[in-house]
Amino acid sequence: MKIDFSEYRKKVMGCWLGKAVGGTLGGPVEGICKPMSLTFYDPVPEEMMPNDDLDLQVVWLETLLRKGLPVNRKTLSEAWIEHIHMYWDEYGASIRNISQGIYPSASGYFDNGFTAGMGAAIRTEIWACLAPGDPALAVRLATEDACVDHAEEGVYATLFIAAIESAAFVESNRDKLIETGLSFIPSSCRVAKAVKDTIKWWHRKKNLHKVREILIEKHANQNWTDVAINMAFIILGWYAGGNDFNEILCSTVNCGHDADCTAATIGSILGIINPSSIGEKWLKPIGRDLILSPNIVGMHHRKNLDEFSEQITRLSCDVLKYYSSETSFGGAGETNYLRTPLNNNYTSITDIENNEALISTSPFPMVLEYPECIALKPEENKEFSVKIQNPFNKNIKIKLHVSVPDGWTLNNLDFNFVLGKSSLKKCYFKVKAPASDTIRAYRNPIDFTIEAAGLKWTVSAGLPMSIPWLCKRTGKVPEKCPGFSRKDKLKIIEAAGHFANIPDGPCVFTTDVKTPFDIIYRIVVQSNRETKIWIDGDLKNLHKGLFRVPALHRSEETQKDIALSRGWHRFTIALGNGKGGQLFTGIGYPGSWKWTENIEYRQPILK
């Protein structure tokens, strides 16, 4: 398929202008979960409102220009640590995982209460613009991005939008575009069901507010950034607004919830389909300066959207050629925007599951496969594997040595093999975690030392260990902090991360936590029932267990800012009567909203 390069450039510019307009319109009302009646900016801005929807894509562009192709999840995860100081929701969970050596895809899947958040679906435009008219390629690139901080529904929403935006470069029919998006995600997933319900109810009711109420009832939950309801609102606004940019944009934003993201996304789609549909009244107040959030650091970005768009259009020529896309440009001229990629065969190892992590891309791509739950319990002996790919056109003799920290054990330390040209080898080994009385260090490195072609180097990853809780049943929630002794009938609960399963009925949990600094921490404790929290015997918080969004910055009555000295502290949590559910306990910094990745735990020492 050949696309006229001059028309493509206009559509790319329309994409980013639509993104900026929608994000600026929706930014002031983000998180409002009731119907609204906006018809224009309120307040009217003097410049584009900075927004993570665009910020992250500026980071991705600089990363690609520096590191070259192919697009890969490991390089993007490194850019998170280097450039992005945004720690809310899925961003914070994945950054905590990456800091502990848990790389994507596992970084987006493990211990993440926001796998279905909007954070990746809002940053798809760069992948669509780099793969215009090739939705399969846009989906492939977007997958590398989304899996860093999402899994399943959050990834599906990303692929849905990326496919629509890519196809919009060559197709303008709304229904065909939506069908294209749906074709890349499971028909049984929540995102697909929400989209199909929206279309069904729109055709029956033809009323924005009535359809919105039906969708809220069926697809919304306490997390207003959940992808299912927000994908539904994007589609609802698209239908309700007819063919008018103003009406579609305002219909979308007035549905509420993650309104800056939904408006920015539909603005991008409309800007690609018809750049001239964005009226001057929307463009004049925001200008074209590229305004980034202060949380984005170490960047060397272009000063305005025009230059940013021009970089992307030139880079697209390299991307389409590198991935052998059927899309090509007419009138683009000769371009060579990127340095020569290191791993021309890397793309054959990108089918990486949720419990796997891309731990190296050069000189040999390597993928570590964890057990399904990823975290190991004390003395648990689980099978791991590491896949090593030879990207070179010759056989290579390899020596591989695996090592783990003291207290951990391996059943197979050394592997010697010849890796055929362009082939892949999978090495299996078992890892046994230390005993239950071991301090749960925040980072447990597993090191792979490789010798090949006269070189020797080490690739490292993390071995997460479960968080220990002691639990006992009670008749009711106690007034005072209950003690624990060896005489109690105790159940040991090893939680694979910050979410612990709760038994039926009233009960009390306890664990020991080591904090590294003398500062104020934000403690978030959530469950599905009455909850009471003591630290070192002092009552710190209590609530009814009605709110369950495990975020550091919007956890309402379930959060408390508490000054703690460095060292060990006893956390005791009493839970009222209820059936099952999960206990979430998180510790972070109130100023930055960052989870403390260097917190350590131990099973309480009892008398």
Side-chain angles (χ1 to χ4, degrees):
M1 178 186 301
K2 184 157 286 193
I3 298 175
D4 181 79
F5 192 64
S6 62
E7 286 300 311
Y8 161 68
R9 292 174 66 191
K10 292 177 184 177
K11 287 178 177 287
V12 170
M13 192 69 223
C15 171
W16 299 112
L17 289 174
K19 186 82 169 174
V21 167
T24 303
L25 173 67
V29 295
E30 177 189 21
I32 294 177
C33 295
K34 61 183 180 181
M36 293 175 284
S37 55
L38 290 173
T39 58
F40 194 57
Y41 300 121
D42 185 14
V44 177
E46 296 181 355
E47 62 182 9
M48 181 181 76
M49 184 176 180
N51 198 311
D52 55 321
D53 303 43
L54 179 57
D55 293 337
L56 301 181
Q57 300 186 79
V58 177
V59 174
W60 298 163
L61 177 61
E62 174 151 329
T63 300
L64 293 178
L65 295 178
R66 285 179 56 206
K67 302 294 181 68
L69 296 172
V71 176
N72 74 79
R73 57 198 72 188
K74 179 64 162 56
T75 300
L76 295 179
S77 73
E78 292 166 353
W80 272 101
I81 302 301
E82 186 175 353
H83 296 295
I84 302 167
H85 292 180
M86 297 174 173
Y87 302 113
W88 47 84
D89 297 356
E90 58 265 43
Y91 299 172
S94 66
I95 288 173
R96 180 184 61 207
N97 284 337
I98 295 165
S99 298
Q100 295 175 351
I102 305 166
Y103 299 112
S105 300
S107 61
Y109 170 72
F110 174 65
D111 199 20
N112 181 1
F114 296 93
T115 57
M118 281 284 285
I122 64 176
R123 56 182 197 250
T124 53
E125 289 78 20
I126 188 169
W127 311 124
C129 289
L130 291 175
D134 190 345
L137 177 55
V139 161
R140 182 177 183 175
L141 303 180
T143 300
E144 294 296 310
D145 176 9
C147 72
V148 176
D149 54 339
H150 296 80
E152 297 169 349
E153 296 294 338
V155 174
Y156 301 150
T158 305
L159 308 189
F160 173 69
I161 296 297
I164 288 176
E165 290 170 336
S166 172
F169 280 93
V170 294
E171 175 61 67
S172 60
N173 182 277
R174 177 191 59 211
D175 294 337
K176 289 182 179 179
L177 289 173
I178 293 171
E179 282 302 314
T180 296
L182 289 172
S183 71
F184 285 95
I185 64 176
S187 60
S188 60
C189 73
R190 290 174 51 231
V191 169
K193 289 178 179 178
V195 169
K196 288 183 280 191
D197 276 353
T198 304
I199 297 170
K200 177 181 71 176
W201 286 108
W202 174 257
H203 287 313
R204 290 183 184 180
K205 300 290 185 180
K206 300 285 187 179
N207 182 285
L208 176 72
H209 295 294
K210 289 181 180 179
V211 176
R212 180 189 179 277
E213 287 305 310
I214 294 170
L215 295 173
I216 289 286
E217 179 68 25
K218 189 168 182 181
H219 296 288
N221 57 40
Q222 285 187 325
N223 177 22
W224 49 261
T225 69
D226 184 79
V227 288
I229 191 63
N230 285 291
M231 290 298 109
F233 286 165
I234 290 170
I235 301 304
L236 177 57
W238 202 353
Y239 274 91
N243 295 313
D244 183 84
F245 178 89
N246 302 342
E247 291 297 322
I248 294 172
L249 191 68
C250 291
S251 295
T252 302
V253 79
N254 286 331
C255 287
H257 286 239
D258 206 352
D260 62 325
C261 297
T262 56
T265 298
I266 195 63
S268 297
I269 294 170
L270 299 177
I272 295 170
I273 293 172
N274 181 10
S276 63
S277 68
I278 309 173
E280 184 62 22
K281 75 168 188 175
W282 291 106
L283 298 175
K284 187 175 180 179
I286 66 171
R288 296 197 179 208
D289 289 346
L290 185 54
I291 310 295
L292 298 186
S293 301
N295 312 72
I296 303 298
V297 299
M299 294 294 297
H300 311 86
H301 59 283
R302 296 304 176 98
K303 63 183 180 181
N304 56 50
L305 289 175
D306 300 82
E307 294 179 0
F308 175 68
S309 295
E310 183 64 19
Q311 284 185 305
I312 289 175
T313 58
R314 291 297 170 182
L315 178 57
S316 177
C317 299
D318 289 338
V319 170
L320 295 175
K321 182 179 179 181
Y322 178 85
Y323 287 99
S324 302
S325 173
E326 293 184 2
T327 297
S328 62
F329 294 122
E334 290 296 322
T335 61
N336 185 18
Y337 212 49
L338 284 175
R339 66 183 67 181
T340 303
L342 292 175
N343 292 325
N344 287 311
N345 292 330
Y346 163 72
T347 50
S348 65
I349 202 171
T350 56
D351 186 16
I352 301 174
E353 301 297 328
N354 286 335
N355 65 320
E356 295 181 330
L358 180 63
I359 61 175
S360 175
T361 59
S362 178
F364 300 116
M366 297 174 63
V367 172
L368 175 63
E369 180 185 9
Y370 291 92
E372 186 174 353
C373 66
I374 298 184
L376 268 65
K377 298 177 182 179
E379 299 188 75
E380 197 170 41
N381 194 20
K382 289 286 188 177
E383 185 174 78
F384 287 65
S385 73
V386 63
K387 291 184 280 191
I388 305 177
Q389 181 191 4
N390 179 3
F392 304 105
N393 194 30
K394 62 179 181 179
N395 297 340
I396 298 179
K397 186 177 181 180
I398 292 179
K399 289 184 178 180
L400 173 66
H401 177 75
V402 188
S403 60
V404 291
D406 288 347
W408 297 70
T409 56
L410 283 165
N411 77 326
N412 204 353
L413 306 180
D414 295 289
F415 301 86
N416 295 278
F417 53 90
V418 174
L419 194 56
K421 57 184 179 180
S422 302
S423 66
L424 185 145
K425 171 74 173 179
K426 194 171 185 179
C427 302
Y428 293 90
F429 52 92
K430 283 191 173 182
V431 177
K432 185 177 181 181
S436 60
D437 60 355
T438 302
I439 292 174
R440 313 300 168 87
Y442 82 93
R443 186 179 175 106
N444 305 294
I446 179 169
D447 297 319
F448 301 90
T449 301
I450 305 108
E451 292 184 56
L455 300 174
K456 184 177 182 179
W457 68 97
T458 299
V459 174
S460 298
L463 290 171
M465 196 172 175
S466 57
I467 294 175
W469 292 93
L470 297 181
C471 177
K472 66 178 181 179
R473 296 185 182 277
T474 58
K476 61 179 181 178
V477 175
E479 291 295 322
K480 296 182 179 180
C481 182
F484 281 72
S485 74
R486 294 179 181 176
K487 296 179 181 180
D488 292 332
K489 189 176 181 179
L490 300 176
K491 181 179 182 180
I492 299 174
I493 295 177
E494 294 286 348
H498 292 79
F499 298 85
N501 292 327
I502 308 172
D504 294 345
C507 57
V508 181
F509 281 69
T510 192
T511 192
D512 284 350
V513 179
K514 187 175 76 172
T515 53
F517 309 114
D518 297 331
I519 59 172
I520 294 175
Y521 294 91
R522 177 163 293 174
I523 314 295
V524 180
V525 180
Q526 298 179 352
S527 75
N528 61 343
R529 54 186 85 175
E530 182 185 358
T531 304
K532 210 168 185 179
I533 304 100
W534 295 268
I535 299 178
D536 299 328
D538 295 328
L539 181 64
K540 297 299 183 181
N541 198 12
L542 67 163
H543 56 80
K544 295 181 179 180
L546 301 178
F547 187 81
R548 294 185 296 280
V549 177
L552 196 61
H553 67 298
R554 55 186 180 104
S555 42
E556 299 187 6
E557 71 273 10
T558 69
Q559 70 183 43
K560 205 74 171 179
D561 292 351
I562 301 168
L564 294 177
S565 60
R566 57 184 175 179
W568 288 101
H569 300 276
R570 177 70 52 88
F571 279 47
T572 304
I573 303 169
L575 304 174
N577 193 27
K579 187 172 180 63
Q582 287 192 315
L583 170 66
F584 171 78
T585 306
I587 304 172
Y589 305 115
S592 65
W593 302 342
K594 183 180 183 181
W595 296 112
T596 50
E597 66 267 8
N598 47 12
I599 291 288
E600 299 189 333
Y601 298 84
R602 71 182 178 194
Q603 187 172 298
I605 301 171
L606 303 180
K607 296 180 180 179

